[in-house]
Amino acid sequence: MNYEKICAGIKATRKKYLTQQEAAELCHLSKKTIYKLERSGVLPYEEHVDQLIHTHKIKTTDVLIMLRNRYCQQSSQSQYIKTMTSYYKKLLRKEPDTLELSDIMRLTGFSKSGVLNWLLRRKLKSIRSGRFYLVPKRYLLDFLLSPYECYILGKPTSSVRV
């Protein structure tokens, strides 16, 4: 789901507080994940007791802040982005200007089907040459620094980000 769409949906509710269930539905996360984020301190909450019913009230602004951090929305001037850009440029220095599928597989540690999935979904921009995909180094660098790459599930331990 798109970060901007999720935030727009949350803002459209015009509520100051959300319950766990509302936050889970609006953020497209499970209620269990919201609970874990609360317990870990990432998502502050207030306990609200109404006779026998216990609910957690979460400020809408706290949910938006959590989402921004979760989706790695950082400015290009942040120290993290500068450091990672420098690291990736050093790593890619010896590579050719355009990378093939096998090069990307070797650099990221992902399988052919995983990399093809990125290319077909246009998460990783490429130039199609017949039946081959060619990826300029700049496109790979943009992908590696993107919010999408920050939250790829099942990332192998040999990934470039280690």
Side-chain angles (χ1 to χ4, degrees):
M1 191 64 165
N2 189 324
Y3 168 74
E4 288 82 20
K5 287 182 183 177
I6 294 173
C7 289
I10 292 171
K11 290 175 185 175
T13 63
R14 297 186 185 270
K15 291 184 176 182
K16 187 174 182 178
Y17 291 95
L18 299 172
T19 64
Q20 276 184 329
Q21 185 66 39
E22 291 170 332
E25 288 172 5
L26 290 168
C27 296
H28 301 280
L29 299 171
S30 69
K31 192 173 175 182
K32 186 175 182 179
T33 301
I34 296 294
Y35 179 78
K36 286 180 180 179
L37 290 169
E38 288 176 341
R39 293 294 180 214
S40 67
V42 172
L43 194 57
Y45 67 96
E46 298 172 14
E47 279 197 47
H48 180 69
V49 181
D50 185 21
Q51 293 181 3
L52 296 176
I53 300 171
H54 293 259
T55 57
H56 291 187
K57 290 172 47 177
I58 307 165
K59 286 185 180 178
T60 304
T61 53
D62 291 336
V63 172
L64 293 171
I65 290 168
M66 179 272 301
L67 284 172
R68 185 187 69 225
N69 294 338
R70 187 173 175 88
Y71 282 92
C72 302
Q73 298 295 323
Q74 297 190 21
S75 76
S76 60
Q77 301 304 315
S78 75
Q79 187 60 40
Y80 169 78
I81 296 294
K82 287 179 181 178
T83 303
M84 293 311 292
T85 301
S86 171
Y87 171 75
Y88 288 138
K89 282 184 177 179
K90 205 179 293 181
L91 184 74
L92 297 171
R93 186 179 309 138
K94 296 177 183 175
E95 298 296 328
D97 288 335
T98 55
L99 303 166
E100 295 179 357
L101 190 66
S102 58
D103 297 325
I104 296 168
M105 289 167 44
R106 179 177 44 81
L107 288 167
T108 61
F110 279 89
S111 67
K112 183 177 182 179
S113 62
V115 175
L116 276 173
N117 188 17
W118 300 336
L119 294 167
L120 294 173
R121 290 176 152 196
R122 298 181 188 211
K123 300 292 183 185
L124 174 58
K125 295 179 188 175
S126 66
I127 300 166
R128 188 99 189 247
S129 176
R131 59 188 194 120
F132 298 101
Y133 289 97
L134 299 174
V135 179
K137 277 199 268 190
R138 181 70 217 161
Y139 290 174
L140 181 62
L141 185 63
D142 290 343
F143 173 75
L144 292 172
L145 296 170
S146 71
Y148 177 79
E149 202 280 333
C150 289
Y151 277 93
I152 294 175
L153 299 177
K155 191 183 301 185
T157 55
S158 62
S159 176
V160 126
R161 301 270 304 207
V162 177

